[in-house]
């Protein structure tokens, strides 16, 4: 008895080898019918044995193609038809496209094997790819994803490539970036200065190799932009790169050929190994071994290094030639966005790079490497970009109207919400620089085109002076301001597809509060459009405002002043800076240029400075990262914190903690022990405050969010103890806990506010 049905599959199902997969599966089960792309995803019409159709659906659910991300599978009764076999039909694009664009994916094992197979026609071809791997998001101009709408459009396929492209049984069936040496993109190398001449093809690769082995800096065009590369074993080369890039201390990422090479550089657990080899291949933060083999200048003062595996064929060829780890850092000057256009790269990286390894496949969107870390045994994204964007976060409750959220100021990303999807963007970066501001505007326009969405509402941070806030006001649409920490909590809820109520514990550097103070140690009861600030770290002065984030000693002074008043005068850290302290003290006394702050990020800075880690830092959170790095994980010591109810608000006073730290320093306790005890104290403070608030509100679900929770030691200990106490603990996994996730929360809160106001 023959049955018929229609199967509609939504999600990331185009450009990921879905139709050949369906063709193969249906044929193997003796099913007749057809498969085609439509504007929402993939549509399959099936005819055959009932049991075979059941098997088909079962297979589709449990073992879809590796790069597919299925949102929904709906099965409808079949239309009458008579099929003689199973075919792949032409796309149906009568409606506006809403099908999803796949992120870029690392070279698959099959392509890599062909790359190094002298008998293969793509032997050593740096742009080999297939339906399971290769560029996607960074080559697309518009939807739907077809070759004509990618930057591969101007390469005319040769006969051999076309045969593969049109053969449903081929791994390259409708692989839009399909190419070979005959018809596709080609490499070039240009020395920046001195002797040498332009090279192309394999010669270009060898010239770049020679330069790297000679200790030079080479700019290399990748998937989403240019990297700056140098020999990671050569201290001088790494120092030269640091000096030219004006990047004193921030760790560089390193690229290696494969997992075993990564294991030579760092400690790689099972979860880390899986993450390194996942199709997105992010940079993974790994613990340094006892005797590091990399040049010290790669990640000075850090106990971790960021490692990624080669993810394009060009990387594989290059690493096979140099046979050593390479520093691979964003091709930019200090904090500008990554360079991705060839002419732009040549001019912007002049004076940094000694040579350029480039190619003629244009990049349509800049996309930095993603960064992830294993925390509490599972991966957590710290920067969500290449390999993840523009894959949406799917929400059970749809956005009532399309929303654009412009994110925060640092680590900016934006988010376009439409239907059940929140398209959280690739990393845009810090918006201080005009070129980053331009990148934000271009990115927003690109996403609106790509996902055919015109926002009805624009969400932005409450901070009046953020560039993103000013941009929101210029877009000519209704705007909704969302408080920074409210957005952090909402982002955490959204990634777990949960709506409130929840107790949000938000620890971060800074965010504009509803009272104009600099918040960052908040306990918020969040429920949809509303939040209540139930508790926070008691205010201290933030002397010099933003300058305090670069000079942790200022925060040490402020906390000492708060804890001891006049009694802080004898402190060695202040005695060292008599004149600076005299000025700072006057500022604190008068509240001049010293806004009140509840920032836990700044509390970490203060303690790091007190124990002697750093008085000044080159980037935000550097001192806090080093405090985590030195912490003795074995210590069970802790410091007390006072909880004081002040009308409706519970205040957490850090004074006893600071006194405890100062006491331990004067008794000569090792820095490692004090740092460990401090982490325990912050954990204890969370557990104590949450206990009080849960009792008061009856809410036992807790979300840990904000950039401070990138600290694995703090996150793991706090989450574990809260879980032990019976709370339902939510932590970030797919979306960064730092400001890189902010836009998602803004989008969700703004649409809840919009909804509550009656649309
Ligand atoms: Zn492949
Ligand atoms: Zn070809
Ligand atoms: Fe934040």
């Amino acid at each position: 008895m023959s049955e018929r049905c229609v199967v509609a599959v939504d999600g990331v199902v185009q450009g990921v080898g879905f139709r050949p997969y369906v063709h193969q599966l249906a044929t193997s089960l003796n099913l007749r019918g057809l498969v085609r792309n439509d504007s929402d995803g993939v549509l399959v019409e099936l005819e055959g044995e009932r049991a075979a159709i059941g098997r088909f659906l079962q297979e589709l659910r449990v073992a879809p193609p590796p790069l597919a991300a299925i949102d929904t599978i709906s099965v409808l009764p079949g239309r009458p038809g008579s099929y003689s076999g199973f075919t792949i039909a032409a796309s149906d694009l009568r409606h506006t496209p809403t099908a999803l664009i796949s992120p870029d994916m690392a070279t698959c094992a099959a392509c890599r094997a062909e790359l190094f197979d002298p008998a293969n026609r793509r032997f050593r071809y740096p742009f080999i790819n297939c339906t399971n791997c290769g560029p996607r998001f960074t080559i697309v101009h518009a939807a739907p994803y077809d070759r004509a709408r990618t930057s591969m459009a101007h390469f005319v396929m040769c006969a051999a490539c076309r045969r593969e492209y049109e053969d449903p049984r081929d791994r390259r069936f409708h692989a839009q970036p399909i190419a070979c040496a005959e018809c596709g993109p080609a490499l070039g190398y240009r020395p920046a200065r001195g002797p040498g001449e332009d090279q192309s093809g394999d010669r270009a690769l060898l010239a770049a190799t020679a330069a790297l082995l000679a200790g030079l800096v080479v700019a290399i065009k990748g998937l989403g932009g240019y990297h700056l590369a140098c020999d990671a074993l050569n201290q001088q080369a790494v120092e030269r790169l640091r000096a030219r890039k004006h990047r004193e201390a921030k760790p560089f990422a390193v690229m290696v050929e494969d997992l075993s090479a990564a294991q030579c550089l760092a400690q790689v657990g099972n979860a880390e190994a899986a993450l390194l080899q996942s199709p997105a291949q992010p940079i993974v933060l790994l613990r340094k071994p006892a005797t590091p083999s990399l040049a010290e200048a790669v990640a000075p003062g850090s106990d971790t290094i960021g490692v990624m595996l080669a993810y394009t064929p060009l990387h594989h060829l290059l690493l096979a030639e140099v046979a050593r780890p390479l520093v691979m850092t964003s091709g930019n000057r200090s904090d500008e966005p990554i360079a991705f256009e060839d002419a732009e790269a040549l001019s912007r990286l002049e004076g940094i790079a000694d040579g350029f390894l480039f190619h003629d496949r244009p990049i349509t969107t800049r996309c930095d490497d993603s960064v992830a870390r294993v925390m509490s045994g599972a991966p957590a994204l710290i920067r969500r970009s290449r390999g993840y964007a523009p894959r949406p976060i799917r929400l059970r409750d749809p956005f009532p109207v399309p929303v654009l959220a412009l994110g925060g100021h640092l680590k900016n990303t934006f988010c376009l919400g439409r239907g059940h999807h929140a398209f959280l963007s690739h990393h845009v970066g810090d918006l201080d620089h005009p070129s980053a501001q331009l990148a934000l505007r271009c990115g927003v326009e690109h996403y609106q085109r790509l996902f055919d969405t015109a926002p009805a509402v624009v969400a932005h941070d409450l901070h009046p002076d953020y560039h993103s806030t000013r941009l929101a006001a210029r877009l000519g649409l209704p705007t909704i301001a969302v408080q920074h920490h409210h957005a952090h909590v909402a982002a955490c809820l959204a990634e777990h597809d949960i709506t409130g109520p929840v107790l949000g514990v938000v620890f971060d550097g800074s965010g504009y509060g509803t009272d104009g103070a600099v918040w960052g140690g908040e306990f918020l009861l969040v429920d949809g459009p509303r939040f209540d600030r139930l508790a926070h770290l008691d205010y201290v002065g933030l002397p010099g405002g933003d300058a305090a984030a670069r000079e942790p000693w200022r925060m040490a002074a402020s906390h000492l002043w708060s804890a001891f008043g006049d009694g802080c005068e004898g402190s060695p850290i202040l005695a060292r800076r008599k004149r600076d302290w005299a000025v700072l003290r006057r500022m604190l006394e008068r509240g001049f240029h010293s806004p009140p702050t509840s920032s836990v990020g700044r509390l970490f800075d203060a303690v790091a400075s007190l124990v002697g880690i750093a008085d000044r830092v080159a980037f935000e959170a550097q001192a806090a990262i080093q405090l985590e790095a030195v912490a003795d994980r074995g210590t069970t010591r802790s410091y007390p914190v006072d909880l004081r109810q002040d009308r409706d608000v519970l205040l957490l006073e850090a004074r006893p903690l600071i006194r405890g730290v100062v006491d331990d320093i004067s008794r000569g306790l090792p820095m490692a022990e004090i740092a460990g005890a401090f982490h325990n104290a912050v954990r204890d403070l969370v557990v104590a405050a949450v206990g009080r608030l849960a009792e008061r509100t009856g809410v036992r679900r807790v979300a840990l969010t904000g950039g401070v929770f990138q600290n694995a030691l703090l996150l793991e200990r706090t989450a574990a103890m809260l879980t032990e106490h019976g709370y339902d603990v939510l932590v970030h996994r797919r979306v960064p806990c730092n400001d890189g996730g902010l836009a998602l929360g803004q989008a969700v809160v703004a649409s809840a506010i919009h909804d509550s106001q009656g649309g």
Side-chain angles (χ1 to χ4, degrees), residues 40-63:
D40 298 324
V42 167
L43 213 67
V44 191
E45 297 185 15
L46 288 176
E47 189 178 83
E49 294 286 321
R50 173 183 226 154
I53 291 178
R55 282 276 305 284
F56 178 92
L57 293 172
Q58 163 81 2
E59 245 338 85
L60 190 62
R61 288 201 173 91
V62 300

Side-chain angles (χ1 to χ4, degrees), residues 484-485 488 508-511 706-707 737-739 742:
H484 191 96
H485 303 97
H488 271 306
D508 76 351
S510 69
C737 63
N738 59 46
D739 287 6
L742 211 58

Side-chain angles (χ1 to χ4, degrees), residues 121-122 156-162 164 178-184:
R121 74 182 189 91
R122 292 191 179 85
V156 179
M157 267 182 238
C158 70
C161 284
R162 177 150 298 276
E164 295 168 330
I178 189 174
C180 71
E182 196 69 23
C183 66

